């Protein structure tokens, strides 16, 4: 860029940080908001349960003898406070808030979600779920990142995604666009307020496609987004009581971002610790309590501000666990698992497909009955209005009339 | 381009960056390359006493008569251990990996065998493999190091027989009655010839040839004859009772394999930008041809690459985004940075997206712009403050970044402390001794940055340096130059 133009930009009022705010973050930019609304205004919140959550003890098949036979001490008995749903399934006793959401018709439960030739390694299976690949495919971008890439040309507004964490997941990395990772708007802002970083990030990226300009562009967008998110998120402070846990705090931050009017289409939050090889009941119970309490408060928060109907929450884990308990009162890595969907826009609720088939196992593991990419395809096309086939690389049968 | 810039370019690409004394020596790039090649000749395996201890205590391999089982698995079977044993085992495995990781990083920063270590690093991403056994991972790493500059054919065969690789790609489950195609597929798709040059039927036939390639409880390659399919196979148009070695030989007979490997090396050592002119076929084709004709001689190939005129073209200098390891090793090498406690080096790798011995999958790290997102970029720009000025940084890693030890608590995953680090800045001072003070920021930027510094950044560095007390002048200039986007490039 010629120096004269750079100087002009540096001195003019246009050089305020807002100039560099990517359009998708402009709630104040009326045109931008208008276009987002045109693209239907729906948002997705993905909740990742890291470590392999045991679906069978989350959504318990409590009328199935095979379940208790495989899990003589780990199986959860009806009288221990199981929260009965439909089709002989029940939530884990620690999930009272989620049960209440279920009763209000805000929850859909999918059973035995997985993929062919499942991989039982945490990192590889998570890689598969986050990239949306097949198990013998290596894809270096994430399914939500590719959604961010795919902004339709008619909309002119690129979509944006926020992950409430210090680092960004593969799921949120596209080929062209990437989500922003922020633990909180305050912390994110604070880092960019470092004097030196501020000086450098205030510089204009040149117009070329060079790597250097790419770095400057990313930096300028990061700093201005941090600024914008910090200013805007002050608008709304949640009055709802969230569980005092890391996950609870992250969901609160997410709700505050949404309720402040930040027009991101995708939010990503994680809850970890589900790798329960040993003494599972205590550990998983605590985590499911955390999950359920957090989601209960989050849904209430969005409900109060009228955002729930435009919000879909998807809860997944990289795999379920073995059907049979191990010798340490825990479970080892398994395959197919439950996916939960929550929100005011669900058109079908309750138990959405058949309960896990414990008779017909593959070497002790559940066979998947629904490919996770069918769930992604449904969410992408029917909820976010995106081109699922382009994003996922092939066509997966969508779940009709779900969202 | 000045001689100094060319020299620095060579040191960045053929190693982990220049030291002040390398620039002071002012060799011609050709002489420097000869020196690099000479220094890379000795092979010294990476060792770690910590691994042996961990091996003995936690992972004594238990031979298993049941060949359907992974022979390495029983010793690691989680459900046969008490919770305390399990925790201890996880800790030992983690510590062993940490030691290997930081040991290698230290070697990248200080070994005279820069080219061998750089090649090892390249092959580490090419033959990407991630296993839970530190000893198996180290053995593969040392095999790669030993053959990194030899014949690619030797390297390929050796890697294919490494227990870590056979396990990672499920070849221990590849048996006559029930072939597992994973290894056969990746050998072709990722390691040698590339997609589009073989059919699905070739994968099936190759998998049959690799049946019986396995390893024993001691981590040695074993050919299990009973599991091997001796029948005739038709592979890439040829028919015979092929074994695994034959398949690799046939793959190497395809000139496409030489081209595939050359292209990947070119992307790593010369230019990886998505520009359609790169990789440049006019550069690649002659190299690939010579590589093929030399029977895959890697030293010959690298020498040709580093002496090509185009290697020093402006389009190839300061235009590649450093990988996290290159960034860290480079800071350590150029400035002699040493950490009192090495663990933060692991945290930095995880936060930046590249941890040695933990590639994301068999395809390795994607590289290029995929290293950069808002959080990794901010972290990169803060890192020099942390290493050179003991600035505090707070970052919580994700659990999936801790797969080696998945049960780490939130507190364990959170890093928040000043790093106690020492840097050797005296050699830099010497390098600048004859430069008038006013020109020192510019001279320093020419040494530390491979991309030309923006004029406003030079001003900024001058401004920051002026504010610093005299004794902190150099340190402040270095820290700010390293905190620039320009420093992310090499």
């Amino acid at each position: 860029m010629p120096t004269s133009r750079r100087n002009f930009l540096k001195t003019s009022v246009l050089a305020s940080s807002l100039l560099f705010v990517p359009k998708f973050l402009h709630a104040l930019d009326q045109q931008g908001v208008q276009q987002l609304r045109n693209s239907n205004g729906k948002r997705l919140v993905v909740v990742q349960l890291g470590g392999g959550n045991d679906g069978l003890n989350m959504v318990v098949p409590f009328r199935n003898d095979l379940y208790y036979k495989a899990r003589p001490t780990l199986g959860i008995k009806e009288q221990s406070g199981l929260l009965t749903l439909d089709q002989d399934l029940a939530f884990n006793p620690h999930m009272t808030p989620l049960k209440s959401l279920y009763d209000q018709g805000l929850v859909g439960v999918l059973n035995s979600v997985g993929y062919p030739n499942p991989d039982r390694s945490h990192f590889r299976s998570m890689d598969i779920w986050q990239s949306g690949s097949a198990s013998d495919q290596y894809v270096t971008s994430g399914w939500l990142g590719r959604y961010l890439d795919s902004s339709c040309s008619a909309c002119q507004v690129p979509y944006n995604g926020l992950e409430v964490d210090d680092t960004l997941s593969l799921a949120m990395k596209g080929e062209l666009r990437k989500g922003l990772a922020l633990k909180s708007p305050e912390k994110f802002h604070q880092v960019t307020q470092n004097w030196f970083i501020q000086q450098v990030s205030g510089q204009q990226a040149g117009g070329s496609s060079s790597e250097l300009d790419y770095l400057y562009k990313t930096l300028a967008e990061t700093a201005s987004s941090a600024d914008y998110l910090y200013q805007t998120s002050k608008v709304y402070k949640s009055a709802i009581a969230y569980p005092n846990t890391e996950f609870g705090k992250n969901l609160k931050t997410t709700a505050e971002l949404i309720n402040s009017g930040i027009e991101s289409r995708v939010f990503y939050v994680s809850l970890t610790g589900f790798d329960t090889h040993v003494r599972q009941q205590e550990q998983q119970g605590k985590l499911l309590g955390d999950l359920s309490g957090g989601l209960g408060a989050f849904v209430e928060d969005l409900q109060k501000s009228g955002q729930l109907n435009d919000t879909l929450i998807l809860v997944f884990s990289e795999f379920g666990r073995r059907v049979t308990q191990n010798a340490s009162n825990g479970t080892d890595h398994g395959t197919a698992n439950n996916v939960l969907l929550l929100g005011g826009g669900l058109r079908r609720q309750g138990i959405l497909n058949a309960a896990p088939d414990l008779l017909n196992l593959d070497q002790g593991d559940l066979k998947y009955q629904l490919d996770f990419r069918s769930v992604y395809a449904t969410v992408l096309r029917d909820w976010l209005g995106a081109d699922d086939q382009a994003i996922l690389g092939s066509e997966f049968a969508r779940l009709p009339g779900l969202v | 381009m000045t001689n100094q810039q060319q020299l620095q370019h060579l040191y960045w690409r053929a190693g982990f960056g220049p030291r002040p004394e390398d620039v002071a020596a002012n060799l011609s790039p050709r002489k420097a390359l000869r020196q690099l090649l000479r220094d890379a000749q000795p092979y010294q395996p990476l060792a770690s006493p910590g691994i042996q201890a961990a091996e003995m205590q936690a992972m004594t391999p238990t031979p298993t008569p049941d060949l359907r089982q992974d022979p390495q698995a029983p010793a690691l079977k989680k459900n046969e251990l008490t919770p305390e044993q399990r925790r201890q085992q996880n800790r030992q495995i983690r510590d062993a990996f940490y030691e290997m990781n930081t040991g290698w990083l230290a070697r990248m920063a200080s070994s005279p065998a820069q080219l061998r270590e750089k090649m090892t690093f390249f092959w580490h991403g090419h033959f990407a493999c991630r296993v839970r056994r530190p000893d198996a991972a180290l053995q593969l790493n040392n095999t790669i190091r030993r053959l990194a500059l030899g014949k690619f054919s030797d390297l390929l065969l050796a890697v294919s027989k490494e227990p870590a690789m056979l396990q990672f790609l499920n070849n221990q489950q590849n048996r006559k009655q029930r072939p597992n195609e994973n290894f056969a597929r990746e050998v072709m798709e990722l390691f040698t010839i590339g997609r589009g040059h073989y059919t699905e039927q070739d994968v099936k036939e190759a998998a049959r040839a690799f049946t019986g390639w396995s390893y024993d409880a001691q981590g040695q390659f074993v050919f299990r004859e009973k599991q091997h399919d001796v029948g005739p196979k038709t592979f890439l148009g040829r028919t015979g009772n092929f074994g695994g070695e034959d398949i690799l030989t046939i793959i190497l007979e395809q000139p496409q394999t030489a081209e595939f490997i050359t292209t990947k090396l070119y992307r790593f050592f010369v230019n990886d930008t998505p520009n359609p002119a790169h990789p440049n076929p006019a550069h690649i084709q002659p190299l690939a041809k010579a590589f093929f004709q030399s029977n895959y001689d890697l030293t010959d190939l690298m020498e040709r690459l580093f002496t090509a005129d185009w290697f020093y073209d402006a389009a190839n200098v300061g235009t590649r985004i450093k990988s996290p390891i290159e960034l860290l090793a480079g800071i350590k090498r150029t400035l002699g940075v040493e950490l009192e406690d090495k663990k933060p080096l692991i945290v930095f790798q995880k936060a930046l997206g590249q941890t040695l011995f933990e590639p994301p999958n068999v395809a390795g790290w994607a590289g290029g712009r995929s290293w950069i997102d808002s959080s990794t970029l901010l972290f990169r720009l803060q890192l020099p403050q942390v290493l050179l000025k003991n600035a505090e940084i707070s970052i919580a890693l994700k659990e999936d970044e801790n797969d080696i030890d998945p049960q780490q608590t939130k507190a364990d995953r959170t890093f928040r402390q000043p790093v106690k680090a020492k840097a050797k800045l005296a050699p830099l001072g010497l390098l600048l001794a004859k430069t008038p003070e006013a020109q020192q920021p510019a001279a320093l930027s020419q040494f530390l940055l491979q991309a030309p510094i923006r004029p406003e950044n030079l001003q900024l560095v001058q401004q920051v340096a002026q504010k610093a007390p005299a004794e902190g002048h150099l340190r402040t200039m270095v820290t700010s130059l390293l905190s620039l986007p320009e420093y992310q490039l090499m």
Side-chain angles (χ1 to χ4, degrees):
Chain A
M1 184 189 333
T3 322
S4 55
R5 170 149 166 80
R6 189 162 56 225
N7 284 343
F8 166 73
L9 283 170
K10 270 169 111 173
T11 48
S12 89
V13 286
L14 283 174
S16 78
S17 63
L18 267 185
L19 177 67
F20 309 121
V21 173
K23 273 215 166 138
F24 47 81
L25 284 175
H26 270 253
L28 305 171
D29 180 337
Q30 282 312 307
Q31 201 191 352
V33 173
Q34 209 52 49
Q35 282 161 337
L36 274 171
R37 298 251 157 87
N38 286 348
S39 65
N40 88 12
K42 303 258 197 286
R43 71 180 72 85
L44 173 69
V45 179
V46 174
V47 176
Q48 172 181 305
L49 308 181
N53 175 40
D54 181 18
L56 283 174
N57 274 16
M58 175 169 79
V59 183
V60 181
F62 68 100
R63 295 242 161 83
N64 193 329
D65 291 343
L66 293 170
Y67 165 74
Y68 293 103
K69 212 172 142 194
R71 299 182 166 196
T73 56
L74 209 53
I76 304 174
K77 304 209 166 51
E78 197 176 352
Q79 53 272 32
S80 59
L82 277 178
L83 306 162
T84 313
L85 311 172
D86 307 292
Q87 295 182 27
D88 299 338
L89 294 171
F91 274 152
N92 183 293
H94 291 86
M95 296 169 68
T96 314
L98 265 175
K99 163 72 162 124
S100 145
L101 298 181
Y102 184 94
D103 292 339
Q104 292 171 54
L106 298 172
V107 179
V109 177
L110 288 166
N111 295 298
S112 310
V113 185
Y115 54 91
N117 303 314
D119 197 296
R120 290 163 185 80
S121 141
H122 291 292
F123 76 88
R124 179 61 192 141
S125 193
M126 194 57 98
D127 202 45
I128 290 164
W129 275 85
Q130 290 203 3
S131 63
S133 76
S135 67
D136 62 350
Q137 242 185 337
Y138 304 97
V139 177
T140 53
S141 60
W143 74 286
L144 297 168
R146 293 194 302 277
Y147 162 69
L148 302 180
D149 283 344
S150 77
S151 54
C152 62
S153 54
C155 311
Q156 286 181 345
V157 185
Y159 309 138
N160 184 44
L162 300 177
E163 176 161 4
V164 183
D165 209 338
D166 276 338
T167 55
L168 192 68
S169 293
L170 172 66
M172 300 286 274
K173 295 180 189 172
E175 302 284 352
L176 306 167
R177 297 201 174 81
K178 296 178 176 75
L180 297 174
L182 67 156
K183 191 70 197 174
S184 71
E186 292 79 14
K187 190 182 168 189
F188 192 40
H189 183 245
Q190 196 198 334
V191 173
T192 59
Q193 288 308 101
N194 169 302
W195 185 81
F196 192 83
I197 290 180
Q198 236 185 343
Q199 298 304 307
V200 179
S201 63
Q203 293 177 19
Q204 279 287 282
S208 84
S209 63
S210 73
E211 304 308 279
L212 189 60
D213 283 340
Y214 173 74
L215 292 169
Y216 274 99
K217 190 166 159 277
T218 306
L219 184 59
E221 284 185 2
T222 301
S224 51
S225 299
D227 211 21
Y228 169 74
L229 289 166
Y230 176 64
Q231 300 302 340
T232 309
S233 67
K234 286 184 194 165
V235 171
Y236 178 91
K237 290 293 165 209
S238 172
I240 304 287
Y242 281 80
N244 187 23
T245 59
E246 187 69 24
F247 180 69
K249 280 181 209 150
N250 291 346
L251 280 181
K252 187 176 179 188
T253 301
T254 310
E256 289 180 346
L257 289 165
I258 291 172
N259 290 338
S260 298
I262 282 156
E263 292 282 359
S264 274
R265 306 298 306 279
V266 181
F267 295 83
Y268 205 90
V269 189
S270 302
L271 173 61
T272 57
F274 286 93
D275 196 21
T276 49
H277 292 276
V278 175
R279 289 197 305 261
Q280 173 175 302
Q281 261 183 20
E282 189 190 342
Q283 194 183 344
Q284 196 201 15
K286 201 168 140 289
L287 286 166
L288 290 178
D290 194 2
L291 173 73
S292 173
L295 286 176
F298 183 65
V299 166
E300 188 188 342
D301 216 346
L302 296 186
Q303 224 163 8
K304 277 202 168 157
S305 56
Q307 298 294 339
L308 190 64
N309 286 348
D310 287 336
T311 307
L312 179 69
I313 306 163
L314 184 157
V315 185
F316 83 98
S317 190
E318 73 267 34
F319 46 63
R321 310 198 66 93
R322 291 235 121 179
V323 174
T324 310
Q325 70 178 69
N326 66 25
S328 323
N329 271 324
T331 50
D332 298 315
H333 300 183
T335 52
N337 202 5
N338 293 100
V339 162
L340 302 182
L341 295 167
L342 291 87
L346 275 180
R347 284 159 61 200
R348 283 165 53 208
Q349 305 89 359
I351 309 292
L352 300 171
N353 61 354
D357 182 353
L358 299 182
L359 192 60
N360 189 10
L361 299 177
D362 176 16
Q363 298 183 304
D365 279 321
L366 291 177
K367 288 184 180 165
Y368 80 100
Q369 52 163 307
L370 178 63
D371 195 304
F372 74 105
R373 291 161 295 181
S374 280
V375 182
Y376 287 0
T378 310
V379 170
L380 288 168
R381 173 69 71 93
D382 297 345
W383 182 254
L384 294 171
D387 183 347
D388 57 314
Q389 229 175 302
I391 293 166
L392 297 174
S394 38
E395 189 171 8
F396 293 93
R398 300 202 304 280
L399 304 166
L402 183 59
V403 289
Chain B
M1 192 153 299
T2 63
N3 191 68
Q4 183 188 333
Q5 283 173 311
Q6 295 195 12
L7 196 58
Q8 289 175 179
H9 180 54
L10 178 66
Y11 281 118
W12 269 116
R13 299 303 177 94
F16 294 91
R19 297 166 304 172
E21 53 264 44
D22 297 327
V23 166
N26 197 30
L27 298 178
S28 71
R30 265 178 196 269
K31 272 196 176 161
L33 176 61
R34 275 204 292 279
Q35 180 83 46
L36 281 166
L37 286 164
R38 237 189 341 265
D39 289 345
Q41 274 172 10
Y43 155 68
Q44 187 110 62
L46 186 69
S48 168
I51 294 162
Q52 284 149 19
E55 242 181 311
M56 283 185 296
Q57 289 176 33
M59 293 183 296
T60 313
T62 315
T64 167
D66 181 2
L67 294 178
R68 279 170 307 169
Q69 292 286 321
D70 170 1
Q72 291 204 352
L76 287 168
K77 241 186 188 166
K78 291 175 170 174
N79 54 6
E80 286 164 10
L81 301 172
T82 67
E84 183 43 44
Q85 281 175 321
R86 222 174 71 82
R87 265 194 297 277
Q88 202 187 345
Q89 187 187 71
N90 276 340
R91 203 164 45 236
Q92 286 175 334
I93 292 174
R94 189 190 64 198
D95 290 349
F97 271 109
Y98 280 6
E99 205 170 326
M100 282 155 57
N101 179 313
T102 55
W104 190 10
L105 200 63
R107 183 181 277 218
M108 289 172 177
S110 60
S111 168
Q114 284 287 290
L115 181 56
R116 183 173 294 276
E117 293 305 323
K118 191 65 180 265
M119 292 297 286
T120 308
F121 178 57
F122 168 79
W123 295 120
H124 186 67
H126 180 77
F127 293 116
C129 179
R130 182 163 166 165
V131 287
R132 250 179 81 80
R133 288 195 62 146
D135 54 341
L138 184 67
Q139 185 178 307
L140 169 63
N141 189 251
N142 277 327
T143 294
I144 285 175
R145 177 171 290 102
R146 181 164 57 84
L147 298 165
L149 280 161
K151 297 270 188 191
F152 176 69
S153 35
D154 296 338
L155 176 63
L156 175 66
L157 180 64
V159 166
S160 303
K161 290 187 170 181
E162 274 297 322
M165 193 55 86
L166 291 168
Q167 193 214 333
F168 187 53
L169 296 182
N170 311 105
N171 209 64
Q172 81 277 21
Q173 287 130 9
N174 185 15
R175 298 185 187 87
K176 186 164 55 182
Q177 288 79 10
R178 217 157 45 103
N180 182 306
E181 295 168 7
N182 201 9
F183 177 71
R185 181 182 303 280
E186 303 315 350
V187 159
M188 286 189 273
E189 177 178 338
L190 298 169
F191 298 167
T192 58
I193 193 168
R195 284 180 96 142
H197 302 281
Y198 54 88
T199 63
E200 277 302 302
Q201 189 59 30
D202 289 324
V203 173
K204 285 194 169 65
E205 299 287 286
R208 290 175 56 217
F210 285 112
T211 49
W213 280 36
S214 189
Y215 51 89
D216 62 20
Q218 282 71 43
Q220 296 306 308
F221 175 79
V222 175
F223 177 64
R224 300 192 193 278
E225 232 173 304
K226 282 186 193 156
Q227 292 171 15
H228 182 68
D229 181 341
V230 292
K233 297 125 195 151
T234 300
F235 177 69
L236 294 179
R238 293 176 46 183
T239 304
N241 294 348
F242 299 138
E245 288 91 345
D246 303 316
I247 296 296
L248 298 179
T249 304
I250 295 170
I251 289 173
L252 290 163
E253 281 166 10
Q254 318 297 314
Q256 182 56 42
T257 297
E259 193 174 325
F260 182 83
I261 297 298
T262 306
T263 305
K264 193 151 175 196
L265 283 159
Y266 184 93
R267 283 184 171 280
F268 185 84
F269 285 95
V270 184
N271 200 317
D272 68 350
T273 54
N275 183 327
H278 297 287
N280 190 326
H283 300 168
I284 303 259
Q285 296 297 345
L287 281 184
K289 213 174 151 198
F291 186 39
F292 188 70
Q293 280 165 356
S294 73
N295 281 321
Y296 292 93
D297 187 325
L298 286 161
T299 298
D300 181 68
L301 174 66
M302 296 316 288
E303 204 173 337
R304 284 170 194 271
L305 186 147
F306 291 130
T307 50
D309 288 343
W310 43 253
F311 177 69
Y312 298 96
D313 280 354
N316 297 327
V317 178
T319 52
R320 187 172 166 276
I321 296 175
K322 289 172 189 166
S323 85
I325 292 294
E326 288 165 330
L327 180 74
L328 283 169
I331 295 176
K332 272 174 73 64
R333 180 164 180 81
T334 304
L335 303 170
V337 171
E338 289 289 345
L339 274 68
E340 205 169 275
D341 167 20
K342 304 237 171 344
K343 194 177 170 229
L345 290 171
I346 311 280
V347 177
F348 301 156
Q349 291 174 39
K350 288 179 188 289
L352 292 172
Q354 184 179 40
T355 312
L356 292 173
F357 297 102
E358 295 183 33
N361 55 56
V362 64
W365 292 279
R369 292 187 179 183
S370 78
W371 296 125
I372 304 297
D373 60 60
S374 54
S375 52
T376 56
L377 183 57
L378 285 178
F379 193 79
R380 278 172 179 241
L381 302 188
Q382 295 174 84
L383 189 61
Q385 296 270 345
V386 174
L387 289 174
L388 294 161
K389 298 217 143 177
N390 295 336
E392 192 170 302
I393 196 162
S394 153
I395 190 152
L397 299 170
K398 289 188 199 313
E399 189 177 48
D400 59 356
E401 287 155 346
N402 292 280
D403 186 56
I404 297 297
D405 183 5
Q407 290 294 338
Q408 281 198 56
T409 63
K410 168 78 183 165
D412 278 346
R413 290 188 285 113
T414 305
F415 176 79
R416 182 184 298 154
Q417 71 201 70
V419 173
K420 289 198 182 112
K422 283 197 187 113
K424 291 193 205 95
L425 298 185
L428 260 187
L430 277 178
L431 191 69
L432 294 176
K434 287 183 192 143
T435 310
E437 204 177 310
Q439 280 149 43
Q440 285 189 357
L444 200 53
S445 79
Q446 275 161 24
F447 171 63
L448 292 172
L449 307 180
Q450 286 302 97
I453 190 167
R454 288 182 163 207
E456 53 265 58
N457 282 338
L458 192 55
Q459 274 179 25
L460 190 60
V461 173
Q462 276 161 341
Q463 202 184 332
V464 175
Q466 273 159 18
K467 279 191 226 156
E471 70 277 11
H473 203 81
L474 182 59
R475 183 175 292 264
T476 301
M477 280 193 294
V478 171
T479 310
S480 24
L481 283 165
L482 260 53
S483 305
L484 291 173
E486 284 91 328
Y487 187 70
Q488 310 310 314
L489 298 168
M490 65 178 225

